Amino acid sequence: GETCDDGDALGGDGCGPTCQVEVFLVGDLLITELMVDPLAVSDGSGEWIELHNRRPHPVDLRGWALADDTGELHVIEADGPVVVPGGGFGVFARQGNPGANGGVAVDYVYEGVSLANGPDAVALVWNDLEIDRVNLAKTGGPTAKPGRSLALDPAMTWSAAGLAASAWCDQPSVLPAGDHGTPGEENEPCIPGILCGDGVVGPFEACDDGPANSDIAADACREDCALPTCGDGIKDTGEACDDGDA
């Protein structure tokens, strides 16, 4: 009943944990959401990566790896299967306790890979093959906002779609500790006017100047798409002072 036996119980090397030959193609699994710069907790506690299995059958990721552009690498190892269900999602995080990671339910805890708040990349690797890759804050790639996950538009879940910044947006759903994201669930669509920061004033926004939104600049539309106001801690035109309280 065995089609291979390489002497270990790990997958990710061409011979799976049940001694069956593995074959995976680029795009079979995708990185669909990342919390790069949490605000509710530290980066070391609050960073997480969501994976989506596009195959109809579950995939055991033991032996696969997470890698970044700085040479950091984590090989997925566990006593039992690390399964992403067919058509489903898995959440990998640096901290497994929801009480310490911002309220996120986690399927696997990794170490040794951190997501830089500036230029970086993260890749999912099987048998030395990059199955998926996301370039962060690089030419053509998406840039994360503090406290908001970067999420791939659910209409764009195919190989290499995630390399374009236009395929990504931040998520409006609020996590228990106050950051925003949809870990372990299908992402909300990247519809112009729905998401703050896309430059289109939506039905629940008072303003939206896209990249010009600022919680620092005077008279700017704020990063939550609210108008500048007395009590927001920024001295705007017409104000003699603003200490951030009413």
Side-chain angles (χ1 to χ4, degrees), residues 9 68 72 124 238:
D68 73 358
E72 295 179 333
L124 178 65

Side-chain angles (χ1 to χ4, degrees), residues 34-36 43 47-49 113-117 120 122 136:
L34 308 101
M35 179 59 78
V36 177
D43 285 8
E47 289 182 357
W48 47 265
I49 300 169
V113 175
S114 59
L115 303 175
N117 296 335
D120 199 357
V122 60
L136 298 169

Side-chain angles (χ1 to χ4, degrees), residues 67-90:
D68 73 358
D69 258 13
T70 66
E72 295 179 333
L73 179 75
H74 175 85
V75 177
I76 298 167
E77 298 178 339
D79 293 334
V82 181
V83 173
V84 180
F89 301 89

Side-chain angles (χ1 to χ4, degrees), residues 102-185:
V104 177
V106 172
D107 298 300
Y108 178 82
V109 175
Y110 65 87
E111 57 186 19
V113 175
S114 59
L115 303 175
N117 296 335
D120 199 357
V122 60
L124 178 65
V125 181
W126 168 78
N127 203 23
D128 295 326
L129 174 68
E130 280 195 0
I131 299 298
D132 193 34
R133 176 184 181 89
V134 179
N135 293 324
L136 298 169
K138 294 188 174 184
T139 301
T143 299
K145 296 179 181 178
R148 291 180 179 267
S149 70
L150 267 178
L152 183 66
D153 192 319
M156 304 283 283
T157 53
W158 62 81
S159 176
L163 294 178
S166 59
W168 296 82
C169 58
D170 56 290
Q171 295 289 275
S173 294
V174 181
L175 295 168
D179 284 342
H180 298 257
T182 55
E185 303 175 0

Side-chain angles (χ1 to χ4, degrees), residues 7-25:
D8 63 55
L10 295 176
D13 54 7
C15 185
T18 59
C19 291
Q20 301 299 312
V21 171
E22 297 177 307
V23 177
F24 293 96
L25 303 175

